[in-house]
Structure formats: structure tokens, C-alpha cells
Amino acid sequence: MSIHSRTRRLSVPQLVAMKGRQKIVSLTAYTSHMARLMDPFVDFILIGDSTAMVGYGRTSTLDMSLAEIIAHTRAVVAGSRLACVIADMPFGSYQESPQQAYRNCAEVMARSGCDALKLEGGRALAPTVEFLVQRGIPVMAHIGLMPQYVNQMGGFKAQGLDDEAARKIEDDARAHLDAGAFSLLLEGVAQGLARRISDFSPMPTIGIGASPACDGQVLVTEDLLGLGGPQVPRFVKQYADAGALISQACERFAAEVRDGVFPEARHCYGMPQEG
Ligand code: KIV
């Protein structure tokens, strides 16, 4: 079953046109198999740098290389055919200068086949966003709680909690819109702020832990499936317990192998076995 009737991959302009008409749905993926499973149900698939944590077991998103993002994004593009595919630019790959950002963004787009890129940063990043947009790179700007700034924020905490901090995030949003970002990702901000930004933004806002006031929602798939480990954010609703399913399957397999019950082994790769 599918929630939409698309026959071709959703483009960035089509995603933008959904604002005010239909809520936008997104999940993260980093393998082709997962991309294939979610493709009929989401509007865009995000290859998030959260893969560093949920896929590789690292302690932050800072340790994600350009080569890793390219490899995972290629896998997601190969596994999907309907969803727009958006990749995260890794920490350190775009902050140095607009030129460095362009070089690395162009490499990710050219080698992975993705449709757009997501970059974290406030107003200071807006000139880079403008540089990229003017050169053909569609940018989703990630503001509010920015995991790549975890060391400055002192942890993964909600942002914009007082009036001044909220005004600063609104200002970041305006700067990115002026620079040409096609969408704003709002992470870890309160409903009032998400509502104000979504109201003035002509471009869709995508929320994560940012209330239903946004134009769409994204979740880290491992969190939704109960595979997120000990660091699952409090706002996440778990839709399945895939962890329990995987443990049960492993346990049954182990028990059958130990009991000598493994009939498939007799037909290994379709070859008749002796005995
Ligand atoms: O890396 C990530 O998964 C993200 C989230 C906002 C979805 O950026």
C-alpha cells in the first residue's frame, strides 16, 4: 500500500509546492533496503549524519566523513524511486568557506545522485547558502538544535527557550530564506517559535521535536522502530519494536542451528548436498 500516487521521484520544486497543501513526511535511511521499504510512504528520504550515531555507534554526528555520506546516499538513491533524496553535509565539509562548501556539495551531488543537501548553521552560514543556491545546489537549512554544534550547546538540548534566543532563531530563518534555501529544518524548538517561522516562511518547514506547527515532520528511523539505543529523544513516538523482532529471530536461528535443525543447509545455493 502506498500513501501517494506518484510514479516518478518527487523533485525539489514539487516538495516546495506541498507547503500549505499537504503535510510533508520524511524519514532517515542509510541503506538501500530501508530506502526501498519506506519509499512508498515518504516524500523525502534524509541521509542524516545521525547515521554516525545510530548506524556506526559513535557518540556524536561530528565523526561522519564525506566518503561515508556519499556511499550511504548512493545506496538510498539506488533503493528508492519515488521520494526526493536529501543528504546531510558532514561536519567540517562546508563551514570553512563558500568555495570549500561548493566543492564538497558538488562532489556529494555528482557522486551520489541525490536531489538536495542539508546544512546546519545560523545566520553566519547564509552567505554560503546563497553561494551554493546561485550555483545550482538546492539547500535545506537546519536551524534550532544543531547536533554539529553539540560542543557549543553543551548537549542535545531544546533551543530558543527565552525571547532573545527565540528571536535569534527567527533571524537565522529569515537569513536563510533571503539566501535562497528551499526549506528550513527546525529541530528542538517550541511550538510558538515553530508556528511563527512556519507562518512567515514561504518555504516548507520540517520539524523534528519542533511541534505539529511545522509543514512536515522527519524522524530518525531507528528511533521510530525502537532501534535507537539509549539516546532516543523524549519527544519520539516509537511505532514498532523491531529490536524485539530481531532478537527473537536471532534467538530462534541460534536454537535451530544448535539443535541441528537447519534444512536449508541441505540445499545450499540450490546445489544438491551429499548425505
Ligand atoms: O541527521 C539527522 O538524522 C538529522 C535529523 C534532523 C533528522 O539531521
Side-chain angles (χ1 to χ4, degrees), residues 258-271:
R258 291 206 178 91
D259 289 350
V261 186
F262 193 32
E264 284 84 354
R266 297 175 64 85
H267 308 287
C268 205
Y269 296 104
M271 309 273 280

PDB file of all heavy atoms in Angstrom, residues 258-271:
ATOM      1  N   ARG A 258      21.847 -24.936  16.812  1.00  0.00           N
ATOM      2  CA  ARG A 258      22.400 -25.779  17.890  1.00  0.00           C
ATOM      3  C   ARG A 258      21.695 -27.119  17.963  1.00  0.00           C
ATOM      4  O   ARG A 258      22.309 -28.128  18.278  1.00  0.00           O
ATOM      5  CB  ARG A 258      22.302 -25.045  19.228  1.00  0.00           C
ATOM      6  CG  ARG A 258      23.248 -23.869  19.241  1.00  0.00           C
ATOM      7  CD  ARG A 258      23.709 -23.434  20.589  1.00  0.00           C
ATOM      8  NE  ARG A 258      24.638 -22.334  20.389  1.00  0.00           N
ATOM      9  CZ  ARG A 258      24.297 -21.064  20.361  1.00  0.00           C
ATOM     10  NH1 ARG A 258      23.057 -20.723  20.571  1.00  0.00           N
ATOM     11  NH2 ARG A 258      25.194 -20.137  20.132  1.00  0.00           N
ATOM     12  N   ASP A 259      20.393 -27.130  17.627  1.00  0.00           N
ATOM     13  CA  ASP A 259      19.637 -28.393  17.652  1.00  0.00           C
ATOM     14  C   ASP A 259      19.844 -29.210  16.378  1.00  0.00           C
ATOM     15  O   ASP A 259      19.237 -30.261  16.196  1.00  0.00           O
ATOM     16  CB  ASP A 259      18.120 -28.109  17.778  1.00  0.00           C
ATOM     17  CG  ASP A 259      17.765 -27.592  19.159  1.00  0.00           C
ATOM     18  OD1 ASP A 259      18.646 -27.650  20.045  1.00  0.00           O
ATOM     19  OD2 ASP A 259      16.622 -27.122  19.322  1.00  0.00           O
ATOM     20  N   GLY A 260      20.614 -28.681  15.458  1.00  0.00           N
ATOM     21  CA  GLY A 260      20.834 -29.396  14.193  1.00  0.00           C
ATOM     22  C   GLY A 260      19.666 -29.297  13.232  1.00  0.00           C
ATOM     23  O   GLY A 260      19.582 -30.027  12.251  1.00  0.00           O
ATOM     24  N   VAL A 261      18.716 -28.382  13.511  1.00  0.00           N
ATOM     25  CA  VAL A 261      17.560 -28.203  12.614  1.00  0.00           C
ATOM     26  C   VAL A 261      17.883 -27.056  11.673  1.00  0.00           C
ATOM     27  O   VAL A 261      17.727 -25.899  12.020  1.00  0.00           O
ATOM     28  CB  VAL A 261      16.285 -27.835  13.408  1.00  0.00           C
ATOM     29  CG1 VAL A 261      15.071 -27.793  12.485  1.00  0.00           C
ATOM     30  CG2 VAL A 261      16.081 -28.765  14.569  1.00  0.00           C
ATOM     31  N   PHE A 262      18.358 -27.346  10.496  1.00  0.00           N
ATOM     32  CA  PHE A 262      18.669 -26.265   9.553  1.00  0.00           C
ATOM     33  C   PHE A 262      18.575 -26.805   8.149  1.00  0.00           C
ATOM     34  O   PHE A 262      19.571 -26.951   7.448  1.00  0.00           O
ATOM     35  CB  PHE A 262      20.058 -25.688   9.861  1.00  0.00           C
ATOM     36  CG  PHE A 262      20.334 -24.388   9.144  1.00  0.00           C
ATOM     37  CD1 PHE A 262      19.306 -23.489   8.869  1.00  0.00           C
ATOM     38  CD2 PHE A 262      21.610 -24.062   8.717  1.00  0.00           C
ATOM     39  CE1 PHE A 262      19.561 -22.307   8.203  1.00  0.00           C
ATOM     40  CE2 PHE A 262      21.866 -22.882   8.058  1.00  0.00           C
ATOM     41  CZ  PHE A 262      20.844 -22.002   7.801  1.00  0.00           C
ATOM     42  N   PRO A 263      17.324 -27.144   7.743  1.00  0.00           N
ATOM     43  CA  PRO A 263      17.148 -27.862   6.477  1.00  0.00           C
ATOM     44  C   PRO A 263      17.711 -27.120   5.271  1.00  0.00           C
ATOM     45  O   PRO A 263      18.175 -27.754   4.340  1.00  0.00           O
ATOM     46  CB  PRO A 263      15.631 -28.040   6.375  1.00  0.00           C
ATOM     47  CG  PRO A 263      15.026 -27.111   7.364  1.00  0.00           C
ATOM     48  CD  PRO A 263      16.054 -26.843   8.414  1.00  0.00           C
ATOM     49  N   GLU A 264      17.705 -25.770   5.297  1.00  0.00           N
ATOM     50  CA  GLU A 264      18.188 -25.030   4.114  1.00  0.00           C
ATOM     51  C   GLU A 264      19.631 -25.412   3.769  1.00  0.00           C
ATOM     52  O   GLU A 264      20.031 -25.374   2.625  1.00  0.00           O
ATOM     53  CB  GLU A 264      18.126 -23.512   4.354  1.00  0.00           C
ATOM     54  CG  GLU A 264      16.730 -22.948   4.271  1.00  0.00           C
ATOM     55  CD  GLU A 264      16.003 -23.122   5.599  1.00  0.00           C
ATOM     56  OE1 GLU A 264      16.540 -23.762   6.525  1.00  0.00           O
ATOM     57  OE2 GLU A 264      14.887 -22.622   5.702  1.00  0.00           O
ATOM     58  N   ALA A 265      20.396 -25.830   4.770  1.00  0.00           N
ATOM     59  CA  ALA A 265      21.803 -26.144   4.527  1.00  0.00           C
ATOM     60  C   ALA A 265      21.940 -27.300   3.542  1.00  0.00           C
ATOM     61  O   ALA A 265      22.938 -27.423   2.839  1.00  0.00           O
ATOM     62  CB  ALA A 265      22.486 -26.506   5.836  1.00  0.00           C
ATOM     63  N   ARG A 266      20.908 -28.112   3.431  1.00  0.00           N
ATOM     64  CA  ARG A 266      20.971 -29.250   2.513  1.00  0.00           C
ATOM     65  C   ARG A 266      20.810 -28.789   1.065  1.00  0.00           C
ATOM     66  O   ARG A 266      21.037 -29.542   0.140  1.00  0.00           O
ATOM     67  CB  ARG A 266      19.886 -30.268   2.875  1.00  0.00           C
ATOM     68  CG  ARG A 266      20.088 -30.860   4.254  1.00  0.00           C
ATOM     69  CD  ARG A 266      18.926 -31.750   4.614  1.00  0.00           C
ATOM     70  NE  ARG A 266      18.831 -32.904   3.717  1.00  0.00           N
ATOM     71  CZ  ARG A 266      19.501 -34.027   3.887  1.00  0.00           C
ATOM     72  NH1 ARG A 266      20.314 -34.154   4.908  1.00  0.00           N
ATOM     73  NH2 ARG A 266      19.359 -35.024   3.052  1.00  0.00           N
ATOM     74  N   HIS A 267      20.326 -27.559   0.872  1.00  0.00           N
ATOM     75  CA  HIS A 267      20.112 -27.067  -0.497  1.00  0.00           C
ATOM     76  C   HIS A 267      20.917 -25.798  -0.719  1.00  0.00           C
ATOM     77  O   HIS A 267      20.461 -24.878  -1.362  1.00  0.00           O
ATOM     78  CB  HIS A 267      18.621 -26.787  -0.727  1.00  0.00           C
ATOM     79  CG  HIS A 267      17.757 -27.936  -0.357  1.00  0.00           C
ATOM     80  ND1 HIS A 267      17.697 -29.067  -1.117  1.00  0.00           N
ATOM     81  CD2 HIS A 267      16.962 -28.140   0.712  1.00  0.00           C
ATOM     82  CE1 HIS A 267      16.886 -29.921  -0.540  1.00  0.00           C
ATOM     83  NE2 HIS A 267      16.433 -29.388   0.574  1.00  0.00           N
ATOM     84  N   CYS A 268      22.079 -25.791  -0.141  1.00  0.00           N
ATOM     85  CA  CYS A 268      22.901 -24.583  -0.186  1.00  0.00           C
ATOM     86  C   CYS A 268      23.082 -24.095  -1.628  1.00  0.00           C
ATOM     87  O   CYS A 268      23.531 -24.851  -2.497  1.00  0.00           O
ATOM     88  CB  CYS A 268      24.245 -24.925   0.432  1.00  0.00           C
ATOM     89  SG  CYS A 268      25.069 -23.521   1.076  1.00  0.00           S
ATOM     90  N   TYR A 269      22.705 -22.813  -1.919  1.00  0.00           N
ATOM     91  CA  TYR A 269      22.824 -22.226  -3.259  1.00  0.00           C
ATOM     92  C   TYR A 269      22.218 -23.117  -4.342  1.00  0.00           C
ATOM     93  O   TYR A 269      22.675 -23.142  -5.479  1.00  0.00           O
ATOM     94  CB  TYR A 269      24.282 -21.911  -3.601  1.00  0.00           C
ATOM     95  CG  TYR A 269      24.871 -20.862  -2.704  1.00  0.00           C
ATOM     96  CD1 TYR A 269      25.755 -21.210  -1.695  1.00  0.00           C
ATOM     97  CD2 TYR A 269      24.526 -19.523  -2.855  1.00  0.00           C
ATOM     98  CE1 TYR A 269      26.285 -20.257  -0.854  1.00  0.00           C
ATOM     99  CE2 TYR A 269      25.047 -18.554  -2.006  1.00  0.00           C
ATOM    100  CZ  TYR A 269      25.921 -18.932  -1.003  1.00  0.00           C
ATOM    101  OH  TYR A 269      26.432 -17.996  -0.183  1.00  0.00           O
ATOM    102  N   GLY A 270      21.171 -23.911  -3.935  1.00  0.00           N
ATOM    103  CA  GLY A 270      20.492 -24.740  -4.924  1.00  0.00           C
ATOM    104  C   GLY A 270      21.272 -25.992  -5.318  1.00  0.00           C
ATOM    105  O   GLY A 270      20.860 -26.717  -6.211  1.00  0.00           O
ATOM    106  N   MET A 271      22.432 -26.214  -4.703  1.00  0.00           N
ATOM    107  CA  MET A 271      23.234 -27.393  -5.075  1.00  0.00           C
ATOM    108  C   MET A 271      22.780 -28.601  -4.269  1.00  0.00           C
ATOM    109  O   MET A 271      22.612 -28.499  -3.063  1.00  0.00           O
ATOM    110  CB  MET A 271      24.710 -27.161  -4.732  1.00  0.00           C
ATOM    111  CG  MET A 271      25.244 -25.847  -5.267  1.00  0.00           C
ATOM    112  SD  MET A 271      25.831 -26.026  -6.933  1.00  0.00           S
ATOM    113  CE  MET A 271      27.426 -26.731  -6.626  1.00  0.00           C
TER     114      MET A 271
END
